[in-house]
Amino acid sequence: MDPASKMSKPSGVSGFFSALFDPLFSALRLRAEVRFFRWVDKHTPADNRHLLTRKKLYIFPSWRGIGFIGVVLLLWLLGTNYQNNPILGLSFLLTSILVVAILRTHANLSGLDITYVGAGQAHAGSEVDFHFKLTSSSGRFVENLEAKWQRSEQRLIHIDVPPAEMVTISVPLFAPQRGWLKPGRLLLESHFPLGILRCWTWLVWDAQALIYPRLVETDKPSQGGGEGEDEGFHPLRGGDDFSGLREFRAGDSLKHIAWKVYARERGLYVKEFGQNLSRELWLSLDLLPTSDLEEGLSMLSYLAVALHREDEFYGLRLPGVTLAPNRGEDHKRKVLEHLALFGLGDSVS
Amino acid sequence: MKRAAGSVAGRNGSDSTYSSEASGGDMAEHLAQTQVNRSALAWMFVAQGLTLLPLFFYLPKWLPFLWAAAVILRVQVFRGVWGFPSSTVKALLGAVGVGGLYLSFNRFLGIEPMVAFLVLAFTLKLVEVKSRNDLLLVLYIGFVAIAAQLIFNQTLWLSFYGVACTLVLLAALQSLFQHRHLRWRRQLKHSLVILLQAIPVMLLLFITMPRLGQIWSVPLIQEQAKMGFSEDMSPGDLANLARNNAIAFRVSFNEGDIPAPQNRYWRGLVLDAFDGRKWERKQRWYPIINGARSSSQLHPDWRLNNLEPEQRYDYSVMLEPHGYSWLFTLMPAVKVESQALRTLFTNNYLLLATERVTARSYYKVQSLQRYSVSTEQLSVDERDVQLALPKVGNPGSRRLVADWQAQNLSAEAIVNRALAMFGDDFTYTLQPPTLGVDSIDEFLFESQRGFCEHFASAFTFLMRAAGIPARVVVGYQGGEYKTGSEHLVVRQSDAHAWAEIWLEGRGWIRVDPTAAVAPARIERGFSESLNASDSDLVRVGADAGFAGMWVYRMQSRIEQWDYLWHKTVLSWDNEKKSQTLQRLLGSLDPWRTALFFIGSLFGLLGLYFLMGLALRSRPRLALETQLLNRAKARLSSRGFISNPSETPRAFAARVKSEFPQLGTQFDDIVSSYERVAYRAQPQAIALLRRRVAKFRP
């Protein structure tokens, strides 16, 4: 992904110069960026609705625009050297087009109304969508926008907002870890109409997405000791439904050995199968074949999702948190929210 | 398709049944190159074809075929029939192209090979256009190609064509950066708005920007088709030109007098060597240019310190490129100024450019109204040159002259005898019979019909035979005065040949034997002087009937615009800039110019901004909604105002509860509205329109 990594190492004189100047330039650039974003943050406070006005929009020639300026200069040179007024006129015409394009590019974004709608659900290690509603309050057709989070490489392109219509966009952001994810600054930019200018804005949102723990596959814990036995239904052995694990005893069928658990060197267990139509399972850290908290939470999330998919009753028992067994979408969300925020100091809203 | 207000279009257009144009975007990786879509490709072909078309006329004839082949190749690649050519194929194509250029030109320097190379690169780039940036490069080369057109030809029409090409290039550029697909007309309209907004700013730049001189010297056009008469004169040469209605040059008189029609002799070339049939120059060009004087100072021969306006003709000549180095002036030019040309005076008082004239050129001349030259004795060498005749041939003419000399006539009397002879028996015609070996004898004693070159040639021969130094001068005579734009138009058909003779005590004087035969030719111009059968040959002006008249008028109007274009735009320089700014601003202070520039620029941009605001205040509603609103507005005059939350149907019910008849009518309107808006029956719009028109509460 990183273009710099693909380039071969420069050699010779240019290598010497780039070795000399590159750190200097990148340091200068970093400084400028830090100052710029400090300024941006001061002028556009976080909000969940932004109307793009002059104050929030920045405009500058794009790389293509710099090429265009090069063409203008070339034509000017040709016209001057040939003492040819029509060619000079053409170069002046292109200059004026550049000037008019400033207005047009700015007008394309100006008056766009963006409202934060909400964030999607996601587990750590995947992308979460942030949803926005776009309307054009200027009565103009807002053409070909691009949107991306500052921290993301993923770019949403080809956004068109007709006048008097509302368009919903979903801008994805990679979620590295569980807990509340603040998306940072949203870049919204447009090169319309001629591509020679880039008009953009950095918007800070009063938004956050709850990121559930990463999903780590695990086997369902056996409902061995603890309160689970008192509250849940006892499984009838010999059925088809997987009900849990128990320690290997001599005489157990080799077919029922939980090889995956064995492979993790956690001991020899046997899968038990039951037949009850509704059972309750307790999700708890101490039933898991791990002692790492994050891994445990990830496994519990996996189990919660798996059990939800099987439409089972399950409860959550974490230090300080107990959710009675239940099932359904809402219950899953609650369970995952507790898992996401466990130990982070934030409370579930 | 219905565009409902407030509809929500989902991501990737999943809910796009509501809207044809809304788009919630597509995902792209960081470095993803946007692929070229069909309409952008089509725009590129059109834009490239248009920009290349005028260039093809100046370049080798195989280049258009190469371009067509490249288009076909690219279309086939787009259709998936062929793959992109491999780099070997591309290198081969490039090598073949460059080799072809070398074969066509035999050189790489010079403007034509360079433009041809640009066109070749432009064409071959087409083959490998893959991404948006490639396409952008092609379009940028397109702008340079327009400049190349303008190097070859700067007429008004081609300049307009260049603007049209710019428009199409803009449309192509815009289609690259627009996601929704527009019909070509709308796309052009959008670009036209940008172009129209840019033009006032361009004019501002054009007026205020200072012009610099050439920064470095550049190759000029070398292959210019030759126009007008050539370096020598045989019988029939000028008669061929008489059919050519093209403009040779235009003259505008800056101040002071305009010469009378019979004095408008534009000297171009002096021919002083005769071989029995053909007149040509005695000297090669090189010694002529070597012995010439710079024309930027007053000519020293005239011993002038300054020129009073009443002593001189002060005029500017706009010369069409003719591919030769001679320039046209009234005798005698004493001072010439030109920006584009370096000009010299020869010892014959002709004006020469150091380079051949390959582009429209502009020069300012001062000529004396009255003059006499070489009143003292001619040098022996020059006398020999101006009296030289072939040793043999044309015995009849020599006998005639011997006859006159035997009568002991003075030189003036001999001249008058010759002119009287022409005036009595000779006919001025465009269709002279062809002449044999002793061309002068045959003309004088047998055919007695001829065009100006016959008369000039025979007259000069007679004078030389009589011992009077004489020479032939070729140039143009006359010119049509355009009263609207106050300038003279001199055409190729005005090409003329006359004689200059040297008389003791009077120096070189002009004698035009044609004037003795056909005075109308000199006084009223070429087309007036022709008889009916000759007129049919040249077909100019009123003789050609109503349609011909119309064509003639149209042509003359177009020529006038072209002239104005040249005078105002092409010859715009710092001097004109200063004059204009002086007139506009009152003085030339730099701060005034700067203020004018900045004020106008921001004024214009402010105006565009306000226009944008005015546009935003009224979003366009769908036609059916407009019609429904009209009906509602009529109801409001009866006191019915619909609530925003009320559906049209509910509103109709409310009206019906009070005025059943009115309500029923309105209900019908609503039902046809619903058919258009919600049931996808666009044909119901006609019914809706009729019902609303009839609805008069």
Side-chain angles (χ1 to χ4, degrees):
Chain A
M1 290 301 266
D2 182 15
S5 65
K6 281 183 193 163
M7 278 190 278
S8 59
K9 252 192 157 175
S11 57
V13 183
S14 67
F16 172 73
F17 278 111
S18 71
L20 196 65
F21 289 114
D22 279 1
L24 184 69
F25 282 138
S26 54
L28 280 175
R29 208 181 138 177
L30 199 67
R31 246 183 86 109
E33 268 183 11
V34 166
R35 291 188 64 172
F36 173 70
F37 283 117
R38 201 182 296 151
W39 189 85
V40 167
D41 291 345
K42 220 168 84 182
H43 282 77
T44 49
D47 201 349
N48 51 26
R49 184 176 172 206
H50 286 289
L51 179 65
L52 298 188
T53 55
R54 202 162 33 80
K55 284 180 190 161
K56 288 178 189 165
L57 291 174
Y58 316 106
I59 190 159
F60 200 73
S62 60
W63 284 112
R64 291 180 283 260
I66 288 165
F68 189 82
I69 293 170
V71 171
V72 170
L73 285 178
L74 178 70
L75 293 184
W76 181 83
L77 269 180
L78 269 178
T80 302
N81 268 340
Y82 279 95
Q83 300 280 300
N84 187 317
N85 274 325
I87 297 181
L88 282 177
L90 182 66
S91 92
F92 293 149
L93 181 65
L94 295 189
T95 313
S96 332
I97 286 170
L98 186 75
V99 171
V100 171
I102 298 174
L103 281 181
R104 302 292 295 254
T105 313
H106 187 270
N108 189 38
L109 270 178
S110 165
L112 186 71
D113 195 335
I114 310 150
T115 311
Y116 174 64
V117 180
Q121 301 178 346
H123 294 269
S126 66
E127 281 168 351
V128 59
D129 280 341
F130 289 87
H131 307 295
F132 299 92
K133 278 190 316 194
L134 271 57
T135 50
S136 162
S137 71
S138 64
R140 275 187 295 262
F141 195 110
V142 181
E143 309 246 17
N144 208 2
L145 303 183
E146 296 179 14
K148 92 180 198 40
W149 292 106
Q150 189 177 14
R151 297 204 298 257
S152 170
E153 297 293 311
Q154 290 267 61
R155 179 177 283 261
L156 194 64
I157 58 173
H158 297 333
I159 305 164
D160 283 346
V161 186
E165 269 184 64
M166 189 186 289
V167 169
T168 308
I169 61 166
S170 308
V171 191
L173 178 64
F174 181 76
Q177 62 195 39
R178 73 186 174 96
W180 288 112
L181 174 70
K182 293 215 179 268
R185 303 183 191 92
L186 178 75
L187 172 71
L188 209 62
E189 66 176 353
S190 155
H191 292 89
F192 181 84
L194 299 179
I196 51 184
L197 286 149
R198 168 176 179 252
C199 185
W200 75 100
T201 181
W202 289 104
L203 299 173
V204 187
W205 296 94
D206 187 11
Q208 53 187 3
L210 187 58
I211 305 301
Y212 304 145
R214 189 185 305 271
L215 296 177
V216 172
E217 199 174 333
T218 184
D219 292 321
K220 281 179 197 168
S222 65
Q223 299 291 326
E227 299 138 80
E229 260 177 284
D230 304 329
E231 287 165 17
F233 295 90
H234 286 275
L236 299 170
R237 292 201 182 86
D240 295 318
D241 295 337
F242 174 71
S243 58
L245 293 173
R246 63 167 174 79
E247 277 187 25
F248 179 79
R249 288 192 291 255
D252 281 334
S253 164
L254 282 178
K255 275 199 280 184
H256 291 162
I257 290 174
W259 292 113
K260 280 189 185 164
V261 182
Y262 181 67
R264 292 194 196 112
E265 297 184 351
R266 302 204 195 278
L268 205 51
Y269 286 87
V270 175
K271 292 187 219 165
E272 284 199 318
F273 294 88
Q275 273 189 325
N276 12 346
L277 292 171
S278 64
R279 292 157 301 166
E280 348 187 290
L281 290 161
W282 281 96
L283 301 178
S284 173
L285 282 172
D286 43 318
L287 294 174
L288 294 171
T290 176
S291 55
D292 182 62
L293 175 66
E294 289 304 318
E295 196 181 4
L297 290 171
S298 296
M299 288 175 169
L300 289 183
S301 299
Y302 171 79
L303 290 175
V305 171
L307 289 170
H308 170 74
R309 201 171 295 141
E310 289 161 21
D311 204 21
E312 301 269 8
F313 279 82
Y314 57 97
L316 177 69
R317 191 175 289 138
L318 290 172
V321 178
T322 306
L323 286 177
N326 202 341
R327 65 178 183 183
E329 191 69 43
D330 202 39
H331 180 64
K332 182 191 86 172
R333 186 179 53 76
K334 259 189 222 157
V335 167
L336 286 174
E337 278 173 8
H338 277 100
L339 288 170
L341 294 173
F342 180 72
L344 292 181
D346 293 308
S347 59
V348 177
S349 51
Chain B
M1 192 171 271
K2 164 69 188 144
R3 220 206 275 168
S7 75
V8 180
R11 187 171 171 188
N12 294 333
S14 56
D15 276 347
S16 60
T17 40
Y18 286 103
S19 165
S20 54
E21 292 186 317
S23 164
D26 308 316
M27 287 309 305
E29 291 299 321
H30 176 53
L31 285 173
Q33 293 283 8
T34 317
Q35 285 298 305
V36 179
N37 62 23
R38 210 180 91 166
S39 75
L41 207 58
W43 275 111
M44 183 188 65
F45 289 145
V46 173
Q48 206 188 24
L50 282 176
T51 46
L52 286 182
L53 185 66
L55 288 175
F56 285 148
F57 291 104
Y58 298 93
L59 298 177
K61 298 291 169 273
W62 51 269
L63 274 172
F65 295 101
L66 187 73
W67 181 73
V71 170
I72 291 169
L73 179 63
R74 189 61 186 81
V75 169
Q76 293 292 69
V77 169
F78 181 80
R79 292 175 58 208
V81 181
W82 299 340
F84 276 106
S86 67
S87 45
T88 342
V89 173
K90 281 188 282 188
L92 206 66
L93 273 174
V96 166
V98 173
L101 287 188
Y102 188 74
L103 285 181
S104 298
F105 288 107
N106 274 320
R107 64 201 158 96
F108 282 125
L109 292 175
I111 189 74
E112 288 95 348
M114 275 155 67
V115 171
F117 192 75
L118 178 85
V119 171
L120 182 72
F122 197 20
T123 303
L124 291 182
K125 182 71 197 167
L126 185 68
V127 175
E128 58 155 17
V129 165
K130 275 186 192 140
S131 68
R132 191 158 76 173
N133 284 349
D134 290 337
L135 228 158
L136 205 69
L137 184 67
V138 169
L139 297 180
Y140 283 2
I141 299 176
F143 288 118
V144 182
I146 298 178
Q149 294 173 13
L150 293 169
I151 289 178
F152 285 114
N153 186 337
Q154 300 113 48
T155 53
L156 178 62
W157 311 110
L158 199 87
S159 305
F160 271 135
Y161 187 81
V163 174
C165 287
T166 311
L167 177 69
V168 177
L169 282 171
L170 281 185
L173 207 52
Q174 206 173 0
S175 79
L176 268 184
F177 291 97
Q178 192 155 36
H179 169 242
R180 61 176 168 149
H181 176 75
L182 290 185
R183 300 274 291 278
W184 65 272
R185 272 208 205 151
R186 247 179 107 191
Q187 190 87 62
L188 270 187
K189 208 177 113 190
H190 282 209
S191 317
L192 187 64
V193 172
I194 294 180
L195 193 72
L196 289 180
Q197 289 183 339
I199 279 175
V201 183
M202 181 203 83
L203 291 179
L204 189 64
L205 284 170
F206 194 88
I207 292 173
T208 50
M209 281 292 142
R211 298 296 193 272
L212 302 186
Q214 256 190 3
I215 300 173
W216 65 82
S217 71
V218 282
L220 292 169
I221 302 167
Q222 308 212 337
E223 276 134 58
Q224 164 67 41
K226 302 266 198 281
M227 289 285 283
F229 49 80
S230 60
E231 305 201 13
D232 48 47
M233 186 188 82
S234 312
D237 282 0
L238 296 188
N240 285 337
L241 274 182
R243 293 176 184 82
N244 188 341
N245 213 18
I247 290 175
F249 55 94
R250 297 169 166 101
V251 190
S252 57
F253 288 87
N254 303 327
E255 51 182 306
D257 297 333
I258 301 173
Q262 63 268 24
N263 288 330
R264 292 175 194 155
Y265 281 88
W266 307 98
R267 293 169 95 237
L269 196 57
V270 166
L271 305 175
D272 43 21
F274 187 56
D275 68 351
R277 181 175 174 80
K278 188 170 72 187
W279 286 91
E280 55 194 351
R281 280 175 297 107
K282 178 79 183 165
Q283 274 183 309
R284 298 284 98 209
W285 280 118
Y286 179 71
I288 294 181
I289 291 179
N290 229 16
R293 286 186 184 83
S294 163
S295 64
S296 53
Q297 309 285 316
L298 283 174
H299 199 304
D301 279 12
W302 309 98
R303 295 189 196 88
L304 296 160
N305 290 325
N306 59 328
L307 263 178
E308 296 304 319
E310 54 270 18
Q311 284 180 284
R312 65 180 186 195
Y313 295 122
D314 189 343
Y315 53 97
S316 309
V317 178
M318 187 179 106
L319 179 67
E320 298 294 323
H322 59 11
Y324 297 108
S325 53
W326 52 81
L327 308 173
F328 303 98
T329 54
L330 292 171
M331 178 76 184
V334 290
K335 190 179 178 192
V336 177
E337 290 165 85
S338 175
Q339 277 206 320
L341 299 169
R342 283 205 297 136
T343 54
L344 300 169
F345 287 127
T346 71
N347 48 8
N348 289 333
Y349 306 103
L350 293 174
L351 188 65
L352 273 185
T354 51
E355 303 277 337
R356 289 183 299 164
V357 180
T358 52
R360 254 192 199 178
S361 306
Y362 203 69
Y363 53 93
K364 287 173 78 171
V365 193
Q366 296 183 11
S367 288
L368 289 177
Q369 291 198 7
R370 271 174 245 292
Y371 64 93
S372 51
V373 279
S374 314
T375 43
E376 290 110 59
Q377 208 51 256
L378 284 180
S379 72
V380 179
D381 282 351
E382 201 182 347
R383 208 181 155 80
D384 285 350
V385 169
Q386 308 298 354
L387 286 173
L389 284 178
K391 295 237 161 21
V392 291
N394 299 307
S397 314
R398 291 175 203 257
R399 261 201 308 281
L400 176 69
V401 173
D403 240 28
W404 290 341
Q405 280 174 322
Q407 295 169 31
N408 226 353
L409 294 174
S410 69
E412 276 93 346
I414 290 177
V415 171
N416 288 336
R417 263 311 232 319
L419 291 178
M421 175 180 80
F422 287 144
D424 289 342
D425 309 323
F426 284 70
T427 313
Y428 177 71
T429 174
L430 255 181
Q431 300 146 284
T434 47
L435 301 173
V437 184
D438 288 328
S439 60
I440 308 286
D441 272 10
E442 280 182 44
F443 170 65
L444 284 179
F445 307 115
E446 290 166 35
S447 71
Q448 300 198 328
R449 295 160 61 80
F451 202 56
C452 55
E453 69 264 33
H454 299 91
F455 292 102
S457 170
F459 181 78
T460 311
F461 184 93
L462 291 176
M463 292 305 111
R464 284 193 175 187
I468 303 170
R471 60 197 184 192
V472 171
V473 184
V474 195
Y476 295 87
Q477 199 282 325
E480 186 185 352
Y481 196 76
K482 301 276 182 190
T483 36
S485 45
E486 311 303 325
H487 70 284
L488 271 178
V489 175
V490 179
R491 295 173 193 280
Q492 293 299 347
S493 55
D494 292 320
H496 192 56
W498 60 94
E500 282 178 353
I501 57 172
W502 186 87
L503 294 177
E504 208 154 344
R506 293 178 64 186
W508 283 107
I509 55 172
R510 180 182 72 224
V511 180
D512 187 355
T514 312
V517 192
R521 161 71 183 88
I522 308 306
E523 278 155 27
R524 276 179 284 147
F526 167 69
S527 55
E528 297 285 312
S529 66
L530 297 175
N531 57 33
S533 71
D534 281 352
S535 288
D536 283 348
L537 271 178
V538 294
R539 298 194 69 83
V540 279
D543 297 335
F546 179 75
M549 195 67 196
W550 188 82
V551 168
Y552 173 75
R553 272 200 201 141
M554 216 37 228
Q555 189 196 7
S556 122
R557 179 68 51 84
I558 287 170
E559 283 171 1
Q560 204 159 330
W561 287 335
D562 196 34
Y563 175 72
L564 284 176
W565 167 253
H566 195 111
K567 267 202 84 165
T568 49
V569 177
L570 294 191
S571 59
W572 182 272
D573 51 13
N574 281 330
E575 194 187 328
K576 288 197 181 168
K577 177 198 140 202
S578 309
Q579 284 169 5
T580 312
L581 287 180
Q582 176 109 43
R583 231 184 15 248
L584 278 175
L585 309 175
S587 94
L588 281 174
D589 306 329
W591 65 267
R592 276 193 203 228
T593 312
L595 206 66
F596 168 70
F597 178 74
I598 293 169
S600 316
L601 184 66
F602 281 90
L604 278 169
L605 296 187
L607 185 72
Y608 297 155
F609 182 70
L610 288 179
M611 275 159 57
L613 282 185
L615 279 178
R616 94 170 35 177
S617 58
R618 38 186 182 89
R620 260 181 76 100
L621 293 171
L623 183 60
E624 63 274 13
T625 315
Q626 286 178 27
L627 287 167
L628 184 70
N629 286 349
R630 199 178 301 164
K632 279 183 182 172
R634 286 182 190 155
L635 271 178
S636 71
S637 63
R638 295 289 294 262
F640 287 103
I641 313 285
S642 75
N643 302 321
S645 61
E646 203 173 26
T647 62
R649 191 63 85 178
F651 183 46
R654 189 153 63 86
V655 176
K656 213 191 277 188
S657 65
E658 280 192 50
F659 295 97
Q661 204 203 333
L662 201 61
T664 314
Q665 270 185 25
F666 187 67
D667 203 39
D668 288 344
I669 289 175
V670 169
S671 57
S672 48
Y673 166 77
E674 284 175 348
R675 277 174 65 191
V676 180
Y678 302 122
R679 268 182 245 151
Q681 296 178 359
Q683 68 279 10
I685 194 89
L687 185 64
L688 176 63
R689 199 193 297 270
R690 271 203 306 281
R691 282 179 174 165
V692 172
K694 268 195 271 175
F695 186 60
R696 301 268 168 216

